[in-house]
Amino acid sequence: MAGRKAGTVPNRAVAAIRLGPKSVAALALTSAAGVAAFAWPLLAGEASGLAHSQDAPWLFAALLPLLLAVAVATVSETGLDAKAVAMLGVLAAAGAALRPLGAGTAGLEPMFFLMVLSGRVLGPGFGFVLGAVSMFAGALLTGGVGPWLPFQMLSMGWVSMGAGLLPGAGTLRGRRELLLLAAYGAVSALCYGLVMNMQGWPYIAGLGSGLSFVPGDPLQENLARYAAYVLATSLGWDVPRAVLTVVLTFTLGGTVLRALRRATRRAAFDASPSFARPPVRPPGTAPDPAGSSDAAPGPSGAPPGSSRTPPGSPKAPANSPEESGS
């Protein structure tokens, strides 16, 4: 292209999975179901059977994997090719390998750092799928498979998808981008713990009345109890997770972002195949004996390959006026 040096690539954001209308609708439906799964106790009345049902969490736990499968299948309808699958497998394996490093250690989970940066570079659709798959693979490694796993998959999908929705994906670079990602990583790490506490809080027995969920109580009272529960139980895990995410973003974020963008450019997820048109030979011209359409045109406008002088033979010098008159 004119005005571009050879070997350079435009600095722009490329989404590995391009979202169409159906994909957006599926993700919205899955997210809405997830919000209902997390927050239904706060909305249930005292006389509601749902508020006193012990099998409701299991019902939601069985429903969410189906919704996630629908979302993944719909997201892939517009471009989950072999290159995207390979990228998904590599990053999901890396995220799953990072999870055991912080499991059970004061809430330190380095996989949040990778999920945020991957979602930033590869887009919200890829980020949602990557977060869910990484959490599932990490649960298999750590033995953390249980009714809470679908909620963890959905929450981590939200974390990565949110990173892909941050502004300035194609223009913001350098320290300003790292600052944005570090701030988002800290907030998302805290919100992850906040949301995951909502999943188990209504079913934990043995807590005092100041921390327990009371079905049918006004929303503000249950929220006050929930805030006290978070402060008393999980905040000591959520804050170290947020701090570690910020530290890793500032120390390793630039290198990881460059590596991910380089891999994305080389994979060319959004490249469209194009085919060159064959050369059109003027009507009435003889085919090129050498079979090459790139031969230089012959003298006097002759078609390629029909040069009057055989290649390699010396040209006869033209007679000078003196010679012709002698």
Side-chain angles (χ1 to χ4, degrees), residues 5-308:
K5 295 181 180 179
T8 61
V9 180
N11 190 16
R12 56 189 178 89
V14 178
I17 300 180
R18 296 173 294 276
L19 295 180
K22 294 182 179 180
S23 305
V24 173
L27 289 175
L29 177 62
T30 305
S31 297
V35 171
F38 278 109
W40 69 265
L42 298 177
L43 306 177
E46 184 178 3
S48 173
L50 185 63
H52 302 283
S53 176
Q54 296 298 318
D55 58 351
W58 301 94
L59 175 63
F60 279 115
L63 177 62
L64 283 178
L66 299 177
L67 292 175
L68 287 173
V70 172
V72 171
T74 309
V75 165
S76 65
E77 68 180 358
T78 55
L80 189 59
D81 57 3
K83 294 177 291 186
V85 171
M87 181 76 76
L88 176 65
V90 171
L91 292 176
L98 288 175
R99 191 180 182 194
L101 298 180
T105 309
L108 301 177
E109 297 185 49
M111 72 175 298
F112 273 78
F113 148 77
L114 181 62
M115 296 299 103
V116 170
L117 269 61
S118 300
R120 169 68 171 179
V121 173
L122 299 169
F126 194 100
F128 182 84
V129 178
L130 175 63
V133 173
S134 299
M135 187 58 71
F136 177 77
L140 296 179
L141 291 178
T142 59
V145 178
W148 54 84
L149 179 58
F151 297 91
Q152 291 178 330
M153 294 170 61
L154 188 61
S155 300
M156 186 60 71
W158 284 338
V159 170
S160 297
M161 182 175 66
L165 295 174
L166 291 175
T171 58
L172 191 62
R173 294 293 183 268
R175 182 163 295 275
R176 293 170 55 194
E177 184 181 30
L178 292 180
L179 182 61
L180 174 66
L181 294 177
Y184 173 80
V187 173
S188 62
L190 292 173
C191 290
Y192 176 86
L194 191 69
V195 170
M196 284 305 302
N197 284 332
M198 182 64 70
Q199 178 267 330
W201 171 58
Y203 320 112
I204 297 178
L207 296 177
S209 59
L211 302 178
S212 300
F213 168 72
V214 179
D217 267 18
L219 178 62
Q220 61 271 17
E221 294 184 10
N222 270 326
L223 287 178
R225 295 189 187 98
Y226 180 63
Y229 171 80
V230 171
L231 291 173
T233 58
S234 70
L235 193 62
W237 293 73
D238 299 338
V239 172
R241 183 194 303 123
V243 172
L244 179 63
T245 303
V246 172
V247 171
L248 291 178
T249 300
F250 278 122
T251 55
L252 302 176
T255 303
V256 175
L257 286 173
R258 286 191 295 270
L260 289 173
R261 287 184 172 123
R262 187 182 307 114
T264 303
R265 288 194 298 266
R266 291 183 177 179
F269 290 115
D270 63 345
S272 301
S274 60
F275 303 93
R277 297 180 58 185
V280 179
R281 191 177 302 280
T285 58
D288 185 6
S292 173
S293 61
D294 296 329
S300 303
S306 60
S307 176
R308 296 176 181 174

